[in-house]
């Protein structure tokens, strides 16, 4: 990568400096971690030295990131519109950076099922936060009350179900691919 690469070159230099500052590291500290001289690092950050691939790899490792993340450009749209499933009261957004993962917003009005036979178990993990109201999370033999602004995270191999308590509640959840697929198959359950 040479300085003629303009915008990408400038972006990478700014990222190196921003990541260093975010870690609270001085030039000397990052230079030591990357095994380059402080003067070389300063010239890299200021655009006075050519960016070499081997140095970028070393700097990425020292900054605890990947070369891909260090040089990626944001050419795709940053706004994602949801798909809406009105029948189940859900809005769903895919996470582009993590294929198979989705963010789901759901309004619930029914309490969780009384029967353990209606609880699901499947590979994956789920994370959810209650946006409004109170949710009841049935997790194995436990009945857990999750109130507004509280979050829950759990492995989905435990039988689980969720519902509202005392009126409607809205939940925002993050599902990995296994959890999302399982819930799509079991929506009618």
């Amino acid at each position: 990568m040479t300085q003629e690469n303009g915008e990408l070159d400038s972006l990478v230099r700014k990222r190196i400096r921003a990541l260093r500052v975010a870690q609270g590291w001085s030039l000397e500290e990052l230079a030591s971690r990357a095994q380059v001289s402080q003067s070389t690092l300063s010239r890299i950050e200021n655009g006075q030295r050519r960016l070499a691939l081997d140095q970028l790899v070393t700097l990425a490792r020292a900054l605890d990131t990947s070369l891909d993340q260090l040089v990626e450009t944001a050419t795709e749209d940053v706004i994602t519109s949801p798909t809406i499933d009105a029948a189940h009261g859900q809005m769903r957004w895919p996470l582009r950076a993590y294929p198979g993962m989705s963010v789901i917003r759901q309004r619930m009005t029914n309490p969780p099922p009384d029967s353990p036979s209606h609880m699901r178990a499947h590979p994956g993990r789920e994370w959810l936060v209650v946006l409004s109201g109170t949710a009841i999370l049935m997790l194995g033999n436990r009945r857990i009350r999750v109130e507004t602004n509280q979050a829950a995270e759990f492995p989905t191999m435990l039988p689980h179900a969720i519902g509202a308590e005392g009126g409607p509640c809205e939940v925002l959840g993050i599902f990995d691919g296994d959890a999302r697929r399982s819930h799509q198959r079991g929506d009618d359950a």
Side-chain angles (χ1 to χ4, degrees):
M1 185 179 311
T2 65
Q3 290 183 334
E4 289 85 49
N5 293 32
E7 288 182 29
L8 178 59
D9 186 85
S10 176
L11 178 64
V12 170
R13 293 173 191 280
K14 287 176 184 173
R15 274 194 188 134
I16 291 169
R17 184 179 194 300
L19 289 168
R20 176 180 61 78
V21 170
Q23 296 282 359
W25 296 340
S26 65
L27 277 168
E28 181 182 6
E29 200 166 353
L30 177 57
S32 173
R33 291 171 185 267
Q35 299 179 342
V36 299
S37 73
Q38 183 176 340
S39 145
T40 297
L41 179 57
S42 176
R43 290 193 322 257
I44 287 172
E45 284 187 5
N46 293 319
Q48 299 169 348
R49 184 177 175 120
R50 181 179 71 80
L51 290 171
L53 183 58
D54 60 333
Q55 287 176 331
L56 287 178
V57 170
T58 301
L59 286 168
R61 281 190 191 125
L63 290 163
D64 196 27
T65 190
S66 69
L67 181 60
D68 287 346
Q69 289 175 322
L70 200 57
V71 301
E72 77 179 335
T73 58
T75 56
E76 59 194 56
D77 289 336
V78 296
I79 302 296
T80 303
S81 295
T83 56
I84 297 172
D85 179 355
H88 296 100
Q90 291 183 345
M91 295 174 123
R92 181 172 314 191
W93 298 265
L95 294 176
R96 285 189 196 118
Y98 302 97
M101 291 192 72
S102 297
V103 175
I104 296 174
R105 180 177 180 175
Q106 184 169 16
R107 178 178 164 85
M108 293 183 228
T109 55
N110 296 325
D114 291 335
S115 169
S117 66
H118 288 106
M119 294 172 67
R120 298 181 183 134
H122 51 83
R125 288 195 70 78
E126 290 182 27
W127 178 92
L128 62 91
V129 63
V130 176
L131 301 174
S132 65
T134 302
I136 298 297
L137 171 63
M138 305 299 292
L139 193 58
N141 295 325
R142 298 172 57 196
R143 184 178 195 275
I144 303 165
R145 192 166 195 232
V146 189
E147 298 185 14
T148 301
N149 296 325
Q150 289 184 321
E153 180 178 0
F154 56 94
T156 54
M157 287 300 285
L158 288 171
H160 61 282
I162 189 164
E165 178 184 72
C169 72
E170 276 197 303
V171 173
L172 186 71
I174 300 176
F175 294 75
D176 69 11
D178 290 332
R180 183 179 54 81
R181 281 187 296 277
S182 178
H183 282 276
Q184 285 175 329
R185 284 192 303 266
D187 276 343
D188 298 328

